[in-house]
Amino acid sequence: MREWVVIYLKGVCMGAADIVPGVSGGTIALITGIYDRLIAAIAALDPRVLADLPGVRSRSGRLRLREELVTMDVPFLLVLGAGVGTAFLLMSRVIHAAFETYPAVLNGFFFGLIAASAVVIYRGIRVDTPGRIGALAFGAVLAFLVSGAAESGGSASLALVFAAGAIAISAMVLPGISGAAFLYILGQYQYMLGALTELTNALVAVPEGGRLDAAIAPGIPVVVFLAGATVGLLTMARVVKRALERNRMATLGFLVGLMVGALRLPVEEAAAATEVLTAGLLVAIVLAAVVGIVLILAFDRYGEPLDYTEDTAI
């Protein structure tokens, strides 16, 4: 029981980090010593085990299914995921409220987080060939264009929400790369925070007489996002892992480029949320950016060093 509680708490720390653009849950997993186990468990997931579900009616079938789930380390993933989910539910309310009250300052904070994360990762890789430089430049241009077209609030198509879930979960397992940062780039970060907050509020209100059907509207994008994350965990995360194995430096260079190009979004969002730019507000935005930078640099300095060792070159 003590081991599962510790894993749950590590999941809480991962979730608290990953819900903020710039801080990676993968980094927290690395620091807390569960990164290798996490990656191994994800790689071991095999949806074909679902074919054994009809056999659970018999004792032998249940034992066989249990053995297969334990072999894939599914209990570890479930407990860790419960911790991540708990942090998401708690932190989403806080960040959503901050967006409503201090949008410009919060976007300044995100600017600092993303910029410092890009610098930290760039320092650990070598972008010294035409292929690597091209990958970084392509990522920067792509993110600049996508973040310019993204709408951070309002609504979104369910197809985009599904794709965002798949992309975010893929980034979430990488040390140094934040899944929330990619949600932010796609313009889905604030939208999903709002949907999760509304769903939580609706469910909490049910015991007090609230209507359960009030959870349907915000629940749909959350369920679609989770479905995308599940598909991403089984497919896209493996694609990213394979890309890192084949062309590690170019892949990481591309990811750094994405983060650099995405810096357009917090600047535009902060400007759009500011009716009158006063000296006090400007100072608050700059200080928020500095806090974000210091936070990432502190993780980099006092956390477990990230290993960006390359295997092949282009």
Side-chain angles (χ1 to χ4, degrees), residues 21-22 108-122 256 259-260 262-263 266 289 292-293 296-297:
F109 177 62
F110 290 165
F111 180 93
L113 289 175
I114 296 172
S117 295
V119 171
V120 167
I121 298 172
Y122 182 79
V256 169
M259 301 176 81
V260 171
L263 291 175
I293 292 171
I296 295 298
L297 294 181

Side-chain angles (χ1 to χ4, degrees), residues 9-312:
L9 293 176
K10 290 180 178 181
V12 171
C13 293
M14 285 182 62
D18 242 323
I19 201 170
V20 179
V23 184
S24 169
T27 300
I28 302 300
L30 196 65
I31 293 172
T32 56
I34 61 172
Y35 182 74
D36 289 339
R37 184 177 181 182
L38 173 62
I39 296 301
I42 292 174
L45 287 176
D46 188 351
R48 289 177 296 182
V49 73
L50 297 177
D52 293 334
L53 286 179
V56 298
R57 296 177 181 177
S58 66
R59 184 173 183 275
S60 61
R62 289 193 297 271
L63 290 175
R64 182 172 62 254
L65 179 61
R66 180 181 182 277
E67 183 179 347
E68 290 176 346
L69 294 177
V70 171
T71 300
M72 292 188 293
D73 215 1
V74 170
F76 164 75
L77 290 177
L78 290 176
V79 174
L80 190 70
V84 171
T86 300
F88 275 19
L89 291 175
L90 296 176
M91 293 286 293
S92 63
R93 302 172 67 87
V94 175
I95 298 176
H96 182 66
F99 259 122
E100 296 291 330
T101 310
Y102 308 106
V105 175
L106 190 60
N107 277 289
F109 177 62
F110 290 165
F111 180 93
L113 289 175
I114 296 172
S117 295
V119 171
V120 167
I121 298 172
Y122 182 79
R123 289 189 317 189
I125 64 177
R126 291 197 297 275
V127 184
D128 53 3
T129 69
R132 296 169 184 173
I133 295 172
L136 190 149
F138 177 69
V141 172
L142 179 63
F144 185 84
L145 296 176
V146 170
S147 61
E151 297 181 3
S152 60
S155 60
S157 69
L158 293 180
L160 180 56
V161 171
F162 183 90
I167 293 171
I169 197 68
S170 301
M172 190 178 295
V173 299
L174 298 173
I177 308 292
S178 169
F182 285 92
L183 277 183
Y184 191 64
I185 294 171
L186 294 170
Q188 299 304 296
Y189 182 73
Q190 191 172 348
Y191 171 66
M192 289 308 304
L193 279 181
L196 187 58
T197 300
E198 289 180 27
L199 175 61
T200 304
N201 290 340
L203 293 177
V204 169
V206 170
E208 300 176 357
R211 295 173 57 88
L212 184 60
D213 57 5
I216 295 177
I220 290 175
V222 173
V223 171
V224 171
F225 180 86
L226 292 175
T230 301
V231 172
L233 197 63
L234 296 173
T235 57
M236 291 190 65
R238 298 186 181 186
V239 172
V240 172
K241 184 175 181 292
R242 188 172 303 169
L244 287 170
E245 291 172 349
R246 296 188 60 179
N247 295 298
R248 182 174 295 272
M249 293 296 108
T251 302
L252 289 171
F254 173 74
L255 294 174
V256 169
L258 287 178
M259 301 176 81
V260 171
L263 291 175
R264 169 182 181 177
L265 187 59
V267 173
E268 291 187 347
E269 289 293 311
T274 304
E275 296 181 0
V276 179
L277 183 61
T278 63
L281 179 59
L282 180 60
V283 170
I285 294 173
V286 172
L287 286 177
V290 171
V291 170
I293 292 171
V294 171
L295 180 62
I296 295 298
L297 294 181
F299 267 108
D300 180 56
R301 179 176 178 83
Y302 298 107
E304 187 77 16
L306 302 184
D307 183 13
Y308 296 119
T309 305
E310 65 175 319
D311 296 320
T312 57

